Amino acid sequence: MSNHLAADGGKPVCSTILPYGRQSVDEEDIQAVIEVLRSDWLTTGPKVSEFENAFADFVGAKYAVAVSSGTAALHSAVFAVGIGPGDEVIVPPITFAATANAVVFQRGTPIFADVDADTLLLDPCKAEAKITSHTKAIIAVDYAGQPCDYDSLKRITERHNLILIADACHALGATYKGQKVGTLADLNVFSFHPVKHITTGEGGMITTSNPQFAERMRIFRNHGITTDYHQRELQGSWYYEMINLGYNYRITDFQCALGLSQINKLKGWVKRRQEIAKFYHETFSDISGIIPLKINTNVSHAYHLFVVRVIKSELGMDRSKVFNELRKAGISVNVHYIPVHLHPFYQKKFGTYLGLCPHGEKAYEQIISLPIFPAMNNNDVHRVIDSLKIFITK
Ligand SMILES: *Cc1c(COP(=O)(O)O)cnc(C)c1O
């Protein structure tokens, strides 16, 4: 009998945990990976450039460079533009730590500029106010999947002769004023971690229209060496030169085969994320005290995350209570993010402090990320809403 109550010893009502994000991998993806495992090239082979070309085509970028993670992609971008000791790079506080860490990897100094209170995207005015004679670049983060205000950011970086880097790890498939994410900044960074829009297990990509940046990143991902093994094999040569200090940030061919297979499905997946988001938006318009982040009118949002703010004075309970109740119901909600400047590392090393970015800090007390991923069916979406309604109307 399948419909016993849990109290009768039957299956618990919430036997499965609903994650906040999850990859979709089908038989076609698996076959694509197996094919490469049977081939001659497991790494630095033909699938890498095939994936790079398909990705560049998808976002409409001139060059795409694939690396081993989104973090490696950020580091490669920061290296490509020549960040070094004493250089300042402006970053927002509401992001994954890797955005700022990439600056530190190159001995640069991350300078935190506050986010807009409603979108939690880097506020261009706040960023401009932080520019000094040491500033070299701004890294904008398309938080949750919404593109930043690139017109304003570009005006600022052009006026002050700075490089604009987009941490677009949340925003693959999004557009700003009809223009695709991946073409909006000088360098645009993506991640293929399983919770992101497409996955290669671990993996990352940088897109750019600048051939020098692309070349520097290709060398950087391969120990700073000017030719890779595949190129030397083709040329029948053993000689190589190391011209920079680089890393092993290479991605494997079987990962790229997975990425290639995944990219075919990306459009449909973004559409499904947008459908789920639309339903959430409609539902929350009737619930006071739970407010989705503001969406600008000139964007198509890729919804890596669906973030709501819990307003305690209206809902009668705080974010922690909502978080704990949803977790108890098997809904694996999350908080994105602890403001980066409040991590002990940054406070100790760079003297950052509570009060430095008030909008980001206030948001951090209120935000919660609800499950959103393409494989969620309508029952899953209803389960989130129903679980929420049970305790907020008590
Ligand atoms: C995921 C993510 C990264 C890092 O990507 P990894 O592939 O996990 O290294 C960097 N920045 C943001 C905003 C991310 O969401």
Side-chain angles (χ1 to χ4, degrees):
M1 290 256 288
S2 59
N3 56 354
H4 272 302
L5 292 173
D8 298 327
K11 248 175 98 182
V13 180
C14 292
S15 58
T16 56
I17 306 279
L18 188 64
Y20 84 86
R22 187 184 148 70
Q23 73 275 14
S24 300
V25 173
D26 65 13
E27 203 46 45
E28 199 181 14
D29 295 333
I30 293 166
Q31 285 309 318
V33 173
I34 289 173
E35 208 174 291
V36 173
L37 289 173
R38 295 193 204 283
S39 80
D40 291 338
W41 292 96
L42 296 191
T43 190
T44 324
K47 286 290 169 197
V48 179
S49 43
E50 242 183 89
F51 182 38
E52 289 174 338
N53 292 339
F55 194 92
D57 279 354
F58 184 89
V59 301
K62 216 158 175 187
Y63 305 99
V65 179
V67 291
S68 54
S69 71
T71 303
L74 279 165
H75 188 188
S76 303
V78 166
F79 169 81
V81 305
I83 303 302
D87 292 338
E88 295 178 355
V89 178
I90 294 167
V91 299
I94 298 294
T95 183
F96 184 53
T99 312
N101 293 353
V103 178
V104 185
F105 294 161
Q106 287 305 110
R107 310 281 184 268
T109 305
I111 301 292
F112 294 92
D114 208 356
V115 290
D116 175 86
D118 299 320
T119 60
L120 304 190
L121 300 174
L122 179 62
D123 180 335
C125 296
K126 298 275 167 58
E128 188 165 28
K130 296 274 179 166
I131 293 172
T132 72
S133 58
H134 299 291
T135 310
K136 285 277 169 66
I138 295 177
I139 307 182
V141 177
D142 298 331
Y143 177 69
Q146 170 161 229
C148 292
D149 178 0
Y150 282 98
D151 279 354
S152 301
L153 289 169
K154 264 198 243 167
R155 227 175 290 128
I156 292 165
T157 51
E158 276 163 21
R159 182 154 60 219
H160 298 270
N161 200 18
L162 308 175
I163 300 286
L164 182 59
I165 299 174
D167 180 339
C169 289
H170 293 185
L172 180 55
T175 64
Y176 170 82
K177 297 188 175 174
Q179 203 183 332
K180 282 180 184 165
V181 163
T183 61
L184 296 163
D186 297 306
L187 293 133
N188 310 271
V189 170
F190 299 90
S191 161
F192 307 129
H193 180 277
V195 296
K196 304 291 163 66
H197 290 84
I198 61 170
T199 191
T200 59
E202 300 280 359
M205 190 80 82
I206 315 97
T207 59
T208 182
S209 60
N210 181 315
Q212 278 92 33
F213 288 162
E215 183 60 15
R216 274 173 70 77
M217 293 188 291
R218 288 186 204 287
I219 292 169
F220 188 67
R221 73 174 168 191
N222 188 36
H223 307 279
I225 290 171
T226 50
T227 56
D228 66 33
Y229 180 69
H230 195 200
Q231 287 168 324
R232 287 196 297 280
E233 277 295 293
L234 291 174
Q235 291 160 7
S237 161
W238 53 266
Y239 185 77
Y240 61 83
E241 282 179 341
M242 187 194 130
I243 56 166
N244 287 124
L245 183 62
Y247 291 77
N248 179 351
Y249 280 162
R250 296 185 303 251
I251 188 168
T252 65
D253 278 59
F254 48 92
Q255 287 175 297
C256 289
L258 179 55
L260 267 167
S261 183
Q262 293 249 307
I263 211 169
N264 294 326
K265 298 152 199 161
L266 177 54
K267 261 200 185 127
W269 284 343
V270 172
K271 225 172 116 206
R272 178 60 185 159
R273 285 176 183 272
Q274 290 170 338
E275 267 170 26
I276 295 166
K278 184 160 179 267
F279 180 80
Y280 278 150
H281 275 292
E282 284 164 6
T283 303
F284 292 125
S285 64
D286 292 337
I287 301 176
S288 65
I290 298 188
I291 303 173
L293 293 185
K294 184 187 152 199
I295 313 300
N296 292 324
T297 51
N298 53 10
V299 301
S300 168
H301 194 308
Y303 290 105
H304 163 57
L305 302 173
F306 195 90
V307 178
V308 295
R309 304 175 81 127
V310 176
I311 311 299
K312 190 181 169 193
S313 58
E314 287 175 39
L315 194 67
M317 65 183 76
D318 65 7
R319 189 270 313 275
S320 295
K321 170 84 173 160
V322 174
F323 182 94
N324 291 332
E325 290 292 335
L326 283 172
R327 282 277 175 123
K328 260 193 261 169
I331 314 287
S332 193
V333 285
N334 221 318
V335 173
H336 298 94
Y337 293 93
I338 300 162
V340 178
H341 66 286
L342 297 183
H343 283 299
F345 171 80
Y346 281 99
Q347 296 208 33
K348 260 199 303 209
K349 191 170 164 69
F350 295 101
T352 54
Y353 53 90
L354 186 69
L356 182 62
C357 298
H359 290 157
E361 291 160 10
K362 180 167 183 218
Y364 167 58
E365 302 295 330
Q366 301 174 328
I367 50 179
I368 189 163
S369 304
L370 302 178
I372 190 164
F373 54 95
M376 258 181 107
N377 62 32
N378 291 351
N379 287 337
D380 295 327
V381 184
H382 284 291
R383 184 178 152 197
V384 176
I385 299 298
D386 293 346
S387 307
L388 193 67
K389 280 186 173 165
I390 285 173
F391 66 85
I392 63 173
T393 52
K394 253 183 200 159

